[in-house]
Short mmCIF file of all heavy atoms in Angstrom, two decimals:
data_model
loop_
_atom_site.label_atom_id
_atom_site.label_comp_id
_atom_site.label_asym_id
_atom_site.label_seq_id
_atom_site.Cartn_x
_atom_site.Cartn_y
_atom_site.Cartn_z
N VAL A 1137 15.88 141.65 98.76
CA VAL A 1137 16.62 142.91 98.80
C VAL A 1137 15.69 144.02 98.32
O VAL A 1137 14.77 143.78 97.56
CB VAL A 1137 17.90 142.88 97.94
CG1 VAL A 1137 18.89 141.86 98.46
CG2 VAL A 1137 17.58 142.59 96.49
N THR A 1138 15.95 145.23 98.79
CA THR A 1138 15.15 146.35 98.30
C THR A 1138 15.59 146.71 96.89
O THR A 1138 16.75 146.57 96.53
CB THR A 1138 15.30 147.57 99.20
OG1 THR A 1138 16.67 147.89 99.34
CG2 THR A 1138 14.69 147.32 100.57
N ARG A 1139 14.63 147.14 96.11
CA ARG A 1139 14.90 147.52 94.72
C ARG A 1139 15.38 148.97 94.71
O ARG A 1139 14.65 149.90 94.43
CB ARG A 1139 13.64 147.38 93.88
CG ARG A 1139 13.89 147.59 92.39
CD ARG A 1139 12.59 147.50 91.60
NE ARG A 1139 11.87 146.28 91.86
CZ ARG A 1139 11.98 145.17 91.13
NH1 ARG A 1139 12.75 145.14 90.08
NH2 ARG A 1139 11.28 144.10 91.44
N GLU A 1140 16.65 149.15 95.08
CA GLU A 1140 17.23 150.48 95.06
C GLU A 1140 18.63 150.48 94.50
O GLU A 1140 19.25 151.51 94.35
CB GLU A 1140 17.22 151.09 96.47
CG GLU A 1140 17.97 150.29 97.50
CD GLU A 1140 17.84 150.87 98.89
OE1 GLU A 1140 18.01 152.09 99.05
OE2 GLU A 1140 17.53 150.10 99.82
N GLY A 1141 19.14 149.30 94.18
CA GLY A 1141 20.47 149.23 93.61
C GLY A 1141 21.56 149.53 94.62
O GLY A 1141 21.30 149.92 95.76
N THR A 1142 22.78 149.33 94.21
CA THR A 1142 23.90 149.55 95.11
C THR A 1142 24.81 150.67 94.63
O THR A 1142 25.79 150.99 95.28
CB THR A 1142 24.72 148.26 95.25
OG1 THR A 1142 25.09 147.80 93.95
CG2 THR A 1142 23.92 147.17 95.94
N THR A 1143 24.48 151.26 93.51
CA THR A 1143 25.25 152.40 93.00
C THR A 1143 24.29 153.54 92.71
O THR A 1143 23.11 153.30 92.43
CB THR A 1143 26.02 152.03 91.72
OG1 THR A 1143 25.10 151.57 90.72
CG2 THR A 1143 27.05 150.93 91.98
N PRO A 1144 24.76 154.79 92.75
CA PRO A 1144 23.87 155.92 92.48
C PRO A 1144 23.16 155.78 91.13
O PRO A 1144 23.78 155.43 90.13
CB PRO A 1144 24.82 157.11 92.47
CG PRO A 1144 25.97 156.68 93.33
CD PRO A 1144 26.11 155.20 93.07
N GLY A 1145 21.86 156.00 91.14
CA GLY A 1145 21.06 155.94 89.93
C GLY A 1145 20.56 154.56 89.57
O GLY A 1145 19.72 154.41 88.70
N ALA A 1146 21.06 153.52 90.22
CA ALA A 1146 20.62 152.16 89.92
C ALA A 1146 19.30 151.88 90.61
O ALA A 1146 19.02 152.41 91.68
CB ALA A 1146 21.67 151.16 90.38
N VAL A 1147 18.48 151.06 89.99
CA VAL A 1147 17.19 150.69 90.59
C VAL A 1147 17.09 149.18 90.80
O VAL A 1147 16.02 148.67 91.06
CB VAL A 1147 16.01 151.18 89.72
CG1 VAL A 1147 15.95 152.69 89.71
CG2 VAL A 1147 16.08 150.62 88.32
N SER A 1148 18.22 148.50 90.68
CA SER A 1148 18.22 147.06 90.82
C SER A 1148 19.64 146.59 91.09
O SER A 1148 20.60 147.33 90.84
CB SER A 1148 17.70 146.43 89.52
OG SER A 1148 17.73 145.03 89.60
N LEU A 1149 19.77 145.38 91.58
CA LEU A 1149 21.09 144.77 91.65
C LEU A 1149 21.58 144.51 90.23
O LEU A 1149 20.77 144.32 89.33
CB LEU A 1149 21.02 143.43 92.39
CG LEU A 1149 20.62 143.45 93.85
CD1 LEU A 1149 20.55 142.02 94.39
CD2 LEU A 1149 21.60 144.26 94.67
N THR A 1150 22.87 144.47 90.06
CA THR A 1150 23.41 144.12 88.75
C THR A 1150 23.38 142.61 88.56
O THR A 1150 23.27 141.85 89.54
CB THR A 1150 24.86 144.61 88.60
OG1 THR A 1150 25.69 143.88 89.52
CG2 THR A 1150 24.99 146.11 88.85
N ALA A 1151 23.52 142.18 87.33
CA ALA A 1151 23.58 140.74 87.04
C ALA A 1151 24.77 140.12 87.76
O ALA A 1151 24.69 138.98 88.26
CB ALA A 1151 23.67 140.51 85.53
N GLU A 1152 25.87 140.86 87.85
CA GLU A 1152 27.06 140.35 88.53
C GLU A 1152 26.81 140.18 90.03
O GLU A 1152 27.26 139.20 90.64
CB GLU A 1152 28.25 141.28 88.29
CG GLU A 1152 28.73 141.31 86.85
CD GLU A 1152 27.90 142.21 85.93
OE1 GLU A 1152 27.09 143.03 86.44
OE2 GLU A 1152 28.02 142.07 84.70
N GLU A 1153 26.12 141.13 90.64
CA GLU A 1153 25.80 141.03 92.07
C GLU A 1153 24.88 139.84 92.33
O GLU A 1153 25.07 139.09 93.30
CB GLU A 1153 25.16 142.32 92.57
CG GLU A 1153 26.13 143.48 92.64
CD GLU A 1153 25.46 144.81 92.83
OE1 GLU A 1153 24.31 145.02 92.40
OE2 GLU A 1153 26.09 145.69 93.46
N LYS A 1154 23.89 139.65 91.46
CA LYS A 1154 22.98 138.52 91.61
C LYS A 1154 23.73 137.20 91.46
O LYS A 1154 23.51 136.26 92.24
CB LYS A 1154 21.85 138.61 90.60
CG LYS A 1154 20.88 139.74 90.89
CD LYS A 1154 19.82 139.84 89.81
CE LYS A 1154 18.93 141.04 90.07
NZ LYS A 1154 17.88 141.19 89.04
N ALA A 1155 24.62 137.13 90.49
CA ALA A 1155 25.41 135.91 90.30
C ALA A 1155 26.26 135.62 91.54
O ALA A 1155 26.38 134.46 91.96
CB ALA A 1155 26.28 136.03 89.05
N ALA A 1156 26.83 136.66 92.14
CA ALA A 1156 27.65 136.47 93.33
C ALA A 1156 26.79 135.98 94.51
O ALA A 1156 27.24 135.14 95.29
CB ALA A 1156 28.37 137.76 93.69
N LEU A 1157 25.59 136.50 94.65
CA LEU A 1157 24.69 136.04 95.71
C LEU A 1157 24.33 134.57 95.51
O LEU A 1157 24.30 133.79 96.47
CB LEU A 1157 23.42 136.89 95.76
CG LEU A 1157 23.56 138.30 96.29
CD1 LEU A 1157 22.27 139.09 96.07
CD2 LEU A 1157 23.92 138.27 97.77
N ILE A 1158 24.04 134.19 94.28
CA ILE A 1158 23.69 132.80 93.98
C ILE A 1158 24.86 131.88 94.27
O ILE A 1158 24.72 130.85 94.94
CB ILE A 1158 23.23 132.67 92.52
CG1 ILE A 1158 21.89 133.41 92.33
CG2 ILE A 1158 23.11 131.21 92.10
CD1 ILE A 1158 21.48 133.63 90.89
N LYS A 1159 26.02 132.26 93.82
CA LYS A 1159 27.22 131.45 94.03
C LYS A 1159 27.54 131.33 95.52
O LYS A 1159 27.76 130.23 96.04
CB LYS A 1159 28.41 132.06 93.29
CG LYS A 1159 29.70 131.30 93.41
CD LYS A 1159 30.80 131.98 92.56
CE LYS A 1159 32.06 131.16 92.49
NZ LYS A 1159 32.90 131.26 93.66
N GLY A 1160 27.55 132.46 96.21
CA GLY A 1160 27.90 132.45 97.62
C GLY A 1160 26.91 131.67 98.47
O GLY A 1160 27.32 130.91 99.37
N SER A 1161 25.63 131.82 98.20
CA SER A 1161 24.62 131.08 98.96
C SER A 1161 24.74 129.58 98.73
O SER A 1161 24.66 128.78 99.67
CB SER A 1161 23.21 131.54 98.56
OG SER A 1161 23.03 132.90 98.82
N SER A 1162 24.93 129.21 97.49
CA SER A 1162 25.06 127.79 97.15
C SER A 1162 26.31 127.19 97.80
O SER A 1162 26.27 126.08 98.34
CB SER A 1162 25.12 127.62 95.63
OG SER A 1162 23.94 128.10 95.04
N GLU A 1163 27.41 127.92 97.75
CA GLU A 1163 28.65 127.43 98.36
C GLU A 1163 28.53 127.34 99.88
O GLU A 1163 29.08 126.42 100.50
CB GLU A 1163 29.82 128.31 97.95
CG GLU A 1163 30.19 128.14 96.49
CD GLU A 1163 31.28 129.06 96.01
OE1 GLU A 1163 31.64 130.02 96.73
OE2 GLU A 1163 31.78 128.84 94.89
N LEU A 1164 27.81 128.27 100.49
CA LEU A 1164 27.60 128.22 101.94
C LEU A 1164 26.86 126.95 102.34
O LEU A 1164 27.25 126.25 103.28
CB LEU A 1164 26.82 129.46 102.40
CG LEU A 1164 26.49 129.52 103.89
CD1 LEU A 1164 27.76 129.63 104.73
CD2 LEU A 1164 25.56 130.69 104.17
N LEU A 1165 25.79 126.62 101.61
CA LEU A 1165 25.04 125.40 101.92
C LEU A 1165 25.88 124.15 101.66
O LEU A 1165 25.77 123.16 102.38
CB LEU A 1165 23.73 125.36 101.13
CG LEU A 1165 22.68 126.34 101.64
CD1 LEU A 1165 21.50 126.40 100.69
CD2 LEU A 1165 22.23 125.98 103.02
N ARG A 1166 26.72 124.20 100.65
CA ARG A 1166 27.62 123.08 100.39
C ARG A 1166 28.59 122.92 101.56
O ARG A 1166 28.78 121.82 102.09
CB ARG A 1166 28.40 123.31 99.09
CG ARG A 1166 29.40 122.19 98.78
CD ARG A 1166 30.44 122.62 97.77
NE ARG A 1166 31.21 123.74 98.31
CZ ARG A 1166 31.86 124.62 97.54
NH1 ARG A 1166 31.82 124.54 96.24
NH2 ARG A 1166 32.54 125.60 98.10
N ASP A 1167 29.20 124.01 101.98
CA ASP A 1167 30.24 123.96 103.02
C ASP A 1167 29.68 123.65 104.40
O ASP A 1167 30.31 122.94 105.18
CB ASP A 1167 31.01 125.28 103.06
CG ASP A 1167 31.77 125.56 101.77
OD1 ASP A 1167 31.93 124.63 100.94
OD2 ASP A 1167 32.18 126.72 101.58
N VAL A 1168 28.50 124.17 104.72
CA VAL A 1168 27.94 123.99 106.06
C VAL A 1168 27.10 122.72 106.17
O VAL A 1168 27.20 121.99 107.15
CB VAL A 1168 27.10 125.23 106.47
CG1 VAL A 1168 26.38 124.99 107.79
CG2 VAL A 1168 27.99 126.46 106.55
N LEU A 1169 26.29 122.45 105.15
CA LEU A 1169 25.36 121.33 105.23
C LEU A 1169 25.72 120.16 104.32
O LEU A 1169 25.03 119.14 104.32
CB LEU A 1169 23.94 121.80 104.89
CG LEU A 1169 23.36 122.89 105.79
CD1 LEU A 1169 21.97 123.29 105.30
CD2 LEU A 1169 23.32 122.43 107.23
N GLY A 1170 26.76 120.32 103.50
CA GLY A 1170 27.14 119.26 102.58
C GLY A 1170 26.20 119.09 101.41
O GLY A 1170 26.15 118.03 100.78
N LYS A 1171 25.44 120.12 101.08
CA LYS A 1171 24.49 120.05 99.96
C LYS A 1171 25.21 120.31 98.64
O LYS A 1171 25.93 121.30 98.50
CB LYS A 1171 23.36 121.07 100.13
CG LYS A 1171 22.56 120.89 101.39
CD LYS A 1171 21.80 119.58 101.37
CE LYS A 1171 20.94 119.42 102.61
NZ LYS A 1171 20.18 118.17 102.59
N PRO A 1172 25.02 119.46 97.65
CA PRO A 1172 25.68 119.68 96.36
C PRO A 1172 25.17 120.96 95.69
O PRO A 1172 23.99 121.31 95.82
CB PRO A 1172 25.29 118.46 95.52
CG PRO A 1172 24.60 117.51 96.43
CD PRO A 1172 24.23 118.25 97.67
N LEU A 1173 26.06 121.64 94.98
CA LEU A 1173 25.67 122.88 94.29
C LEU A 1173 24.47 122.66 93.38
O LEU A 1173 23.57 123.51 93.30
CB LEU A 1173 26.85 123.44 93.49
CG LEU A 1173 28.05 123.93 94.29
CD1 LEU A 1173 29.16 124.38 93.35
CD2 LEU A 1173 27.66 125.06 95.22
N GLU A 1174 24.47 121.53 92.68
CA GLU A 1174 23.41 121.31 91.69
C GLU A 1174 22.05 121.01 92.32
O GLU A 1174 21.04 120.96 91.61
CB GLU A 1174 23.79 120.19 90.71
CG GLU A 1174 24.06 118.86 91.37
CD GLU A 1174 25.50 118.68 91.84
OE1 GLU A 1174 26.31 119.63 91.79
OE2 GLU A 1174 25.81 117.57 92.29
N SER A 1175 21.99 120.85 93.64
CA SER A 1175 20.69 120.60 94.28
C SER A 1175 20.14 121.85 94.98
O SER A 1175 19.07 121.79 95.57
CB SER A 1175 20.81 119.45 95.29
OG SER A 1175 21.49 119.88 96.45
N THR A 1176 20.88 122.95 94.92
CA THR A 1176 20.46 124.17 95.62
C THR A 1176 19.85 125.17 94.66
O THR A 1176 20.44 125.48 93.63
CB THR A 1176 21.67 124.80 96.35
OG1 THR A 1176 22.17 123.86 97.30
CG2 THR A 1176 21.27 126.08 97.06
N PHE A 1177 18.68 125.65 95.01
CA PHE A 1177 18.00 126.68 94.23
C PHE A 1177 18.07 127.99 95.00
O PHE A 1177 17.85 128.01 96.21
CB PHE A 1177 16.53 126.31 94.00
CG PHE A 1177 16.35 125.14 93.09
CD1 PHE A 1177 16.46 123.84 93.59
CD2 PHE A 1177 16.11 125.32 91.74
CE1 PHE A 1177 16.31 122.75 92.75
CE2 PHE A 1177 15.95 124.23 90.90
CZ PHE A 1177 16.06 122.94 91.41
N VAL A 1178 18.34 129.08 94.30
CA VAL A 1178 18.40 130.40 94.92
C VAL A 1178 17.43 131.31 94.19
O VAL A 1178 17.48 131.42 92.96
CB VAL A 1178 19.83 130.98 94.88
CG1 VAL A 1178 19.86 132.36 95.53
CG2 VAL A 1178 20.82 130.05 95.58
N VAL A 1179 16.57 131.97 94.94
CA VAL A 1179 15.61 132.91 94.38
C VAL A 1179 15.92 134.29 94.97
O VAL A 1179 16.02 134.44 96.18
CB VAL A 1179 14.16 132.52 94.75
CG1 VAL A 1179 13.16 133.54 94.21
CG2 VAL A 1179 13.84 131.12 94.26
#
């Protein structure tokens, strides 16, 4: 993602946004490919 944030004046994603991306990506791989959450790494 670009380092510009999602709200005025922000220069980065928030910790909450990052957590949601990690959770959503991991759940997608679980649901589509059957990969366990604990085996998925998100960077």
Side-chain angles (χ1 to χ4, degrees):
V1137 296
T1138 54
R1139 187 183 306 266
E1140 59 185 313
T1142 54
T1143 58
V1147 294
S1148 178
L1149 297 177
T1150 66
E1152 293 80 14
E1153 290 167 330
K1154 291 177 184 179
L1157 288 171
I1158 292 167
K1159 181 177 188 281
S1161 299
S1162 299
E1163 290 176 348
L1164 178 65
L1165 287 172
R1166 178 198 61 204
D1167 296 346
V1168 173
L1169 300 178
K1171 300 295 183 179
L1173 294 177
E1174 59 273 7
S1175 74
T1176 300
F1177 292 82
V1178 179
V1179 178

